Amino acid sequence: MLEINKLCFRYSRRSPFVLRDVDLVLADGEIGIILGKNGSGKTTLCKNVLGILKPVSGSLRFDGEDLIRMSRRERARRIAYVPQNIQFGALSVYDSILAGRISYFAYRAGKEDEEIVEKVLDDMGLTSFADRNVEELSGGERQKIAIARALVQEPRMLIFDEPTGNLDIANEQLILAEARRAAAEKHIGILISLHDLNQALEIGDRFFLIKNGRILYTGGKEVITEAAIREVFDAEVRIVEIDHKKIIINGGKIS
Ligand code: ADP
């Protein structure tokens, strides 16, 4: 379980706080969505959890252990990152995924590392891609490789930063389905930053609505209301129910 308490962060002493008193709890097997408009602090929050950025104050714990004091390597075994636009270099799919095992092997990959990579390739239907060069793949395929690379870390938690940013609808669905599968089958927590409300409702169990670095609302789907969206996104929307699902539609100036 991830527990963030009163986390504050700024990029430099002269700049304003980008995260202010952030509290967030995410249990194993749950998909948590950080929702907010551009510049609200979503990426900065993910990077604090990952240890890429160090908080000014507050605490970050995973299963009771202090993440801030943990080495990068120890943290990588617990929490894996699927970044927005991953750059792999001219590697094969297999080697790109194997690189995810780096926090486990000292100099070269062992048999166990290879077996884990092969299992993830198989689980994700990627075996026939193994020898392809990642640079030749489509955006959605590369994103899938990025997920595979994160999964071979055998993490207890995954963090996705805007995973569907550059993808078409079919690939969006594919990536969100992979996330849901990982949460359910491996019973790991998944934290996803998103700005698309309908995608968030489709996949999320818990929601953290962030504005100017502050979490204004936390909870299940019930926290996604027209009023909350107006406040957090400065946008007018209408929420309708279709097939018992909440759908957000534009209720603003475009008519
Ligand atoms: P989001 O992911 O929600 O779009 P970010 O976390 O990227 O938001 O940004 C939050 C705020 O932090 C923004 O005001 C942004 O300009 C600022 N910011 C982001 N990265 C840096 C940086 N490297 N140095 C200084 N300010 C930054």
Side-chain angles (χ1 to χ4, degrees):
M1 183 196 291
L2 174 71
E3 287 172 278
I4 305 178
N5 201 257
K6 296 225 166 306
L7 187 85
C8 295
F9 176 83
R10 58 181 164 186
Y11 279 93
S12 74
R13 284 197 185 174
R14 283 155 178 252
S15 59
F17 277 92
V18 171
L19 298 176
R20 304 154 199 248
D21 288 329
V22 168
D23 289 332
L24 184 155
V25 174
L26 189 72
D28 295 347
E30 270 189 341
I31 298 187
I33 312 276
I34 310 169
L35 261 176
K37 59 184 192 177
N38 292 336
S40 56
K42 301 184 295 298
T43 302
T44 306
L45 179 54
C46 292
K47 288 185 175 169
N48 270 268
V49 177
L50 289 157
I52 298 168
L53 295 172
K54 283 254 175 279
V56 173
S57 59
S59 68
L60 275 163
R61 295 187 168 273
F62 192 78
D63 286 347
E65 291 182 291
D66 184 355
L67 281 172
I68 299 170
R69 293 173 64 182
M70 219 177 258
S71 69
R72 273 274 182 104
R73 206 180 172 88
E74 286 177 278
R75 226 187 252 234
R77 292 183 182 194
R78 292 166 178 78
I79 305 179
Y81 186 33
V82 182
Q84 266 169 21
N85 283 311
I86 191 161
Q87 300 297 328
F88 290 102
L91 287 176
S92 70
V93 164
Y94 186 93
D95 287 339
S96 305
I97 297 174
L98 186 63
R101 295 290 300 165
I102 224 152
S103 67
Y104 287 91
F105 57 77
Y107 299 105
R108 51 169 29 199
K111 194 162 172 44
E112 192 195 347
D113 300 305
E114 289 169 1
E115 280 168 9
I116 288 166
V117 170
E118 277 153 30
K119 168 94 174 53
V120 169
L121 280 168
D122 188 41
D123 285 350
M124 294 182 70
L126 289 168
T127 305
S128 62
F129 280 70
D131 296 327
R132 300 263 302 271
N133 182 332
V134 261
E135 291 189 334
E136 293 164 6
L137 304 180
S138 72
E141 287 163 348
R142 282 155 68 117
Q143 193 71 9
K144 222 173 147 181
I145 306 304
I147 297 174
R149 172 149 97 172
L151 287 175
V152 298
Q153 277 178 242
E154 300 190 303
R156 303 283 321 283
M157 189 176 152
L158 272 181
I159 294 189
F160 285 69
D161 192 11
E162 296 280 356
T164 56
N166 301 317
L167 303 179
D168 58 40
I169 287 188
N171 278 310
E172 255 172 46
Q173 288 174 346
L174 192 99
I175 297 307
L176 294 178
E178 286 300 338
R180 199 183 289 124
R181 199 161 67 105
E185 285 181 9
K186 302 188 190 302
H187 197 63
I188 58 177
I190 301 198
L191 195 58
I192 307 183
S193 93
L194 277 180
H195 57 255
D196 186 304
L197 289 157
N198 284 310
Q199 277 181 9
L201 279 168
E202 186 72 36
I203 188 176
D205 299 311
R206 286 184 70 72
F207 301 88
F208 308 100
L209 275 57
I210 186 169
K211 184 176 192 183
N212 296 331
R214 268 187 213 286
I215 306 252
L216 299 188
Y217 298 92
T218 298
K221 291 193 170 74
E222 74 283 353
V223 300
I224 314 263
T225 62
E226 291 174 1
I229 292 168
R230 187 180 306 124
E231 186 179 355
V232 172
F233 285 88
D234 298 310
E236 289 298 328
V237 297
R238 276 183 54 216
I239 299 183
V240 294
E241 276 209 19
I242 300 176
D243 293 343
H244 305 291
K245 281 204 305 200
K246 270 188 182 180
I247 308 278
I248 316 270
I249 54 174
N250 192 322
K253 294 165 194 91
I254 306 164
S255 55

